[in-house]
Amino acid sequence: VWSQKAVKEAKPVGKVHIAATSESTNFDRIPRPDDIRYSANPAYVHITTNNTIYGTQWRTEPAVPSGVPLVADTSSDMYSRPIDVQKYGLIYAGAQKNLGPSGVVLVIIRNDMVEAGSKSIPTMLQYRTHAAENSLYNTPPTFGIYVMGEVFKWIQAEGGLGAMAERNQAKAQLLYDFIDESEFFRGTAQTQDRSLMNVCFRAPSEELEAKFIGEATKRGLDGLKGHRSAGGMRASIYNACPRRSVEALVAFMKEFERSNRGAAAALKQPAI
Amino acid sequence: VWSQKAVKEAKPVGKVHIAATSESTNFDRIPRPDDIRYSANPAYVHITTNNTIYGTQWRTEPAVPSGVPLVADTSSDMYSRPIDVQKYGLIYAGAQKNLGPSGVVLVIIRNDMVEAGSKSIPTMLQYRTHAAENSLYNTPPTFGIYVMGEVFKWIQAEGGLGAMAERNQAKAQLLYDFIDESEFFRGTAQTQDRSLMNVCFRAPSEELEAKFIGEATKRGLDGLKGHRSAGGMRASIYNACPRRSVEALVAFMKEFERSNRGAAAALKQPAI
């Protein structure tokens, strides 16, 4: 969804080539190296590092042709793990997942990319405008920037990005391990591409999914409904989500599975 | 300054005609009706209702050719007084003066203007995008919107826009009356165009201005330095500034004038 938006915005200003997509399998995986076909002389290569809707995540950056800048929308996994900024020409991340309140975007851009940008697009959309003015060309979203600063201090106090990565890995593992051993729930993303931020899973029927989400919400386990394009359930376990919340979710999933085994088994009977 | 920015952004997408400007007198006034020369068939007429830097303000909307939409940047006086939205095709206002924190913009736009906008500009800059999605096309700046709602409730509880206008008129009058009777301070904007939001004034010399600003700051009367393009002093007395702050400023100005009359008189002596 997010790369499609990037494609849409790029089309009026340049030629767009889709180097790889997992659309044919409903975006259940990250493209394999062999799936990627770059155009002859790409100006840049764009990826979205984490797919919030289908629950997939790039574990490592794709190989790009020599000298071609990698551009990444890292909105939903920025600072959930270390990031090697030297591999990127441009990183942009809406704050609202791991960084702070909505309404502010973190951008890390190489100086040559600042210079290379078009001068015929609106002033506010040119990175050079903000680079030249230290992000003070306009009155910036001060509250959001302040909160981001506080979040950065919190990340450092908690042990930095390495510690965040370990914690997020462990949280996701708890959930995926249970989903894999469950005979009731199943994950939707391919195993090796599963997101550590958004854990997407299904129950045996849409009725049971609605029941699960309703009962979970009553227990204070809120926001579990999957995105409307994906259906099912989604647990978003960003930096701010503590391990005990994930433990509570797994405990509830176990309980729900026990109570609804009968209904699930009935679904497997052939209709009369 | 703000209209010049609007001119700069409009140029890549259309022809720009400057219908009137007070640049020749350093923006010390609002154009008189006779100064305004519209082009033959304007797509729209743009004004900035309040000039924060030079301290001028449109008291009423300019007459525009029949059927031509008036577009206004009302960032610095929105909801400081009643506004007849029917006179406008488009009103836009950055929140950070009277409405709420920076990082959110209030837009009031006529349906036909939504439809009339270019479809070749970036999606986020098309008003139709936000109109179609009830301002939820992207994750909006939730905190800023929430605070704006609280400010709107506060304005209503205080008596509404009529009460705001009376209060702002009275606050500005206090300051302008003193400036007019002072033999030390002088206002910079022409009397009939003075802003009720930003009161700009000068002292007899730049040295005395620096001294005034320094001493005022020590008294807790902060932010009085004029914009670097205008020099001098500027008291910004938006909705949130209470009358007692203006009274404190006037009291300090009187005291400063008494203590520095000698220095001012010396300036009037011919140099030896």
Side-chain angles (χ1 to χ4, degrees), chain A residues 5 8-9 12 96-97 101-103 120-125 129 137 139-143, chain B residues 5 8-9 12 96-97 101-103 120-125 129 137 139-143:
Chain A
K5 287 178 195 273
K8 185 187 167 211
E9 295 312 305
Q96 65 266 21
K97 305 304 186 191
S102 58
S120 61
I121 59 174
T123 307
M124 283 294 287
L125 301 189
T129 303
Y137 172 73
T139 305
T142 49
F143 178 78
Chain B
K5 286 177 196 275
K8 185 186 168 213
E9 296 312 307
Q96 64 267 20
K97 305 304 186 189
S102 58
S120 60
I121 59 175
T123 307
M124 283 294 289
L125 300 189
T129 303
Y137 172 74
T139 305
T142 49
F143 178 77

Side-chain angles (χ1 to χ4, degrees), chain B residues 10-68:
Chain B
K11 275 185 175 166
V13 290
K15 267 186 268 183
V16 175
H17 167 78
I18 309 284
T21 174
S22 54
E23 191 168 9
S24 63
T25 53
N26 204 30
F27 307 105
D28 68 341
R29 65 195 163 89
I30 296 297
R32 307 281 158 261
D34 287 350
D35 298 339
I36 300 174
R37 296 278 178 274
Y38 293 121
S39 57
N41 284 301
Y44 64 85
V45 170
H46 181 284
I47 60 169
T48 305
T49 49
N50 181 71
N51 188 326
T52 53
I53 294 174
Y54 297 96
T56 59
Q57 186 176 22
W58 289 83
R59 291 293 159 89
T60 185
E61 294 82 2
V64 292
S66 174
V68 175

Side-chain angles (χ1 to χ4, degrees), chain A residues 34-100:
Chain A
D34 286 351
D35 298 337
I36 300 173
R37 296 280 177 274
Y38 294 121
S39 58
N41 283 301
Y44 63 85
V45 170
H46 181 283
I47 59 169
T48 304
T49 50
N50 181 69
N51 187 325
T52 54
I53 293 174
Y54 297 96
T56 59
Q57 186 175 22
W58 288 83
R59 291 293 159 87
T60 184
E61 293 82 1
V64 293
S66 173
V68 174
L70 180 62
V71 173
D73 175 352
T74 64
S75 293
S76 57
D77 63 358
M78 191 70 186
Y79 291 169
S80 71
R81 58 184 180 181
I83 181 166
D84 184 356
V85 296
Q86 300 209 0
K87 292 188 176 166
Y88 297 86
L90 166 62
I91 293 165
Y92 63 99
Q96 65 266 21
K97 305 304 186 191
N98 289 317
L99 307 181

Side-chain angles (χ1 to χ4, degrees), chain B residues 9-10 64 70 98 118 134 137-138 173 185 197 202 205 214 271:
Chain B
E9 296 312 307
V64 292
L70 181 61
N98 288 318
S118 164
N134 293 315
Y137 172 74
N138 63 323
Q173 200 68 45
F185 296 105
M197 299 283 99
R202 308 288 313 234
S205 73

